[in-house]
């Protein structure tokens, strides 16, 4: 548009992805606090003389000044980065840690998939993504637990949360043993479709704990339970996304867990005892035989 001058505005953002552009530029995919997901050109950041190239690496929390129309009604869909200040560059802490780096990559890819429309504010998802990266950087919990908690809460944000406390089909309350991804979660015996998974009770309890933030229970679970939980969570997410996440198969899920599932007492996730005989690690679930 003739005479259009690009507007300057500020926002803080998480860097989700970077792509090369030309010889010295990059396209940065950002999840911002107030303007949702957007893409911006960072000119000259691949040069050694760049003033802020290192601040625009994946997984960093940055404060930016951008040039462009935040509503997307005028000018190019690509904004331009004019200033960057690093708030917390979490990516630097993941460079030598393969499990945390791949988990952070899966978080960033999921955040991008859950925001299909650019410039649509997603404050809850921004806070969730930032909190997950901060937890990974701080080593507060096991890497796979942080990732699965993020995926479960991200699905709740998108309206795809698996049913865990009631049958996904008929709504009958209770902890049901079968789990069907196409049906939407746990299913009762009357609604169980052929080929439904049959996870251990502790696996469903772990999914509930990660959804509600019961980290005391989640941190005490066994490795087998965590891997089965990861299989169900990944299958449920990718069913609703209708495509696979490229980074999920790369996540290292073999780290040993400290402690065991606490004995049942009272109500809540802790009331479900651990079960022996966890399904194959590669599949993440057991499947019932059907006639």
């Amino acid at each position: 548009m003739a005479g259009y001058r690009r507007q300057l505005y500020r926002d803080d953002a998480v860097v989700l992805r970077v792509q090369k552009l030309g010889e010295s530029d990059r396209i940065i995919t950002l999840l911002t606090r107030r303007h949702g997901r957007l893409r911006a050109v960072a000119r000259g950041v691949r040069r050694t003389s760049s003033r802020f190239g290192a601040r625009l690496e994946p997984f960093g929390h940055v404060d930016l000044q951008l040039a462009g129309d935040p509503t997307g009604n005028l000018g190019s869909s690509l904004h331009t980065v004019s200033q960057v200040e690093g708030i917390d560059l979490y990516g630097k802490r993941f460079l030598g840690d393969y499990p945390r780096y791949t988990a952070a990559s899966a978080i960033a890819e999921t955040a991008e998939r859950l925001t299909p429309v650019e410039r649509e504010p997603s404050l809850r998802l921004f806070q969730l993504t930032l909190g997950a990266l901060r937890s990974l950087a701080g080593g507060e919990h096991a890497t796979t637990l942080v990732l699965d908690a993020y995926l479960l809460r991200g699905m709740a944000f998108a309206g795809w949360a698996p049913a865990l406390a009631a049958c996904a089909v008929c709504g009958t309350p209770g902890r049901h043993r079968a789990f069907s991804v196409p049906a939407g979660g746990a299913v009762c015996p009357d609604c169980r479709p052929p080929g439904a998974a049959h996870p251990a009770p502790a696996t469903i309890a772990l999914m509930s704990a990660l959804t509600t933030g019961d980290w005391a229970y989640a941190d005490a679970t066994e490795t087998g339970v965590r891997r089965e939980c990861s299989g169900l969570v990944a299958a449920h997410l990718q069913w609703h996304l209708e495509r696979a996440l490229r980074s999920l198969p790369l996540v290292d899920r073999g780290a040993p867990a400290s402690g065991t599932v606490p004995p049942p007492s009272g109500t809540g996730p802790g009331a479900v005892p651990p079960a022996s005989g966890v399904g194959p690690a590669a599949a993440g679930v057991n499947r019932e035989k059907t006639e």
Side-chain angles (χ1 to χ4, degrees), residues 120-207:
E120 186 174 275
S122 303
L123 178 59
R124 287 178 56 196
L125 185 62
F126 170 81
Q127 293 173 329
L128 180 64
T129 304
L130 183 59
L133 293 174
R134 183 183 295 121
S135 182
L136 280 180
E140 301 171 8
H141 308 285
T143 298
T144 56
L145 293 180
V146 175
L147 173 59
D148 289 337
Y150 176 83
L151 297 181
L152 284 166
R153 297 179 192 185
M155 286 190 284
F157 163 80
W160 306 331
L164 300 173
C167 176
V169 178
C170 67
T172 301
R175 290 285 176 83
H176 303 293
R177 292 295 305 273
F179 190 98
S180 172
V181 171
V187 288
C188 66
D190 294 335
C191 299
R192 181 181 58 205
H198 195 266
T203 301
I204 301 297
L206 176 57
M207 295 175 70

Side-chain angles (χ1 to χ4, degrees), residues 11-273:
D11 205 344
D12 66 307
V14 173
V15 179
L16 300 181
R17 183 160 57 99
V18 299
Q19 300 167 269
K20 293 181 179 179
L21 178 65
E23 295 183 357
S24 60
D25 305 337
R26 278 180 177 167
I27 296 177
I28 314 296
T29 302
L30 303 160
L31 181 60
T32 66
R33 183 182 296 273
R34 292 181 290 275
H35 301 93
R37 181 178 61 84
L38 54 84
R39 295 182 305 151
V41 176
R43 303 198 181 280
V45 294
R46 291 164 57 197
R47 299 188 185 124
T48 56
S49 59
S50 173
R51 294 176 299 169
F52 50 76
R55 304 171 197 167
L56 290 174
E57 293 295 331
F59 321 132
H61 183 203
V62 295
D63 180 80
L64 307 110
Q65 179 173 276
L66 299 167
D69 178 22
T71 64
N73 296 323
L74 297 172
S76 171
S77 61
L78 284 176
H79 296 209
T80 301
V81 178
S82 58
Q83 291 182 7
V84 184
E85 294 294 336
I87 298 175
D88 206 331
L89 306 180
Y90 300 118
K92 292 183 177 180
R93 310 185 201 178
F94 304 152
L95 293 180
D97 192 320
Y98 179 82
R100 288 199 293 173
Y101 184 88
T102 52
S105 299
I107 288 171
E109 185 180 357
T110 302
E112 190 171 355
R113 295 283 182 87
L114 294 179
T115 51
V117 180
E118 291 191 6
R119 302 182 186 85
E120 186 174 275
S122 303
L123 178 59
R124 287 178 56 196
L125 185 62
F126 170 81
Q127 293 173 329
L128 180 64
T129 304
L130 183 59
L133 293 174
R134 183 183 295 121
S135 182
L136 280 180
E140 301 171 8
H141 308 285
T143 298
T144 56
L145 293 180
V146 175
L147 173 59
D148 289 337
Y150 176 83
L151 297 181
L152 284 166
R153 297 179 192 185
M155 286 190 284
F157 163 80
W160 306 331
L164 300 173
C167 176
V169 178
C170 67
T172 301
R175 290 285 176 83
H176 303 293
R177 292 295 305 273
F179 190 98
S180 172
V181 171
V187 288
C188 66
D190 294 335
C191 299
R192 181 181 58 205
H198 195 266
T203 301
I204 301 297
L206 176 57
M207 295 175 70
S208 298
L210 294 175
T211 302
T212 59
D214 186 354
W215 289 104
Y217 179 83
D219 288 337
T221 51
E222 297 175 337
T223 302
V225 173
R226 297 181 184 185
R227 298 182 75 174
E228 190 173 43
C229 172
S230 297
L232 291 177
V233 172
H236 194 85
L237 173 67
Q238 293 177 124
W239 171 272
H240 287 283
L241 288 176
E242 298 182 349
R243 58 185 297 187
L245 290 176
R246 292 175 298 175
S247 51
L248 268 185
L250 304 176
V251 176
D252 184 358
R253 301 187 183 277
S258 59
T260 57
V261 180
S265 60
T267 59
V272 181

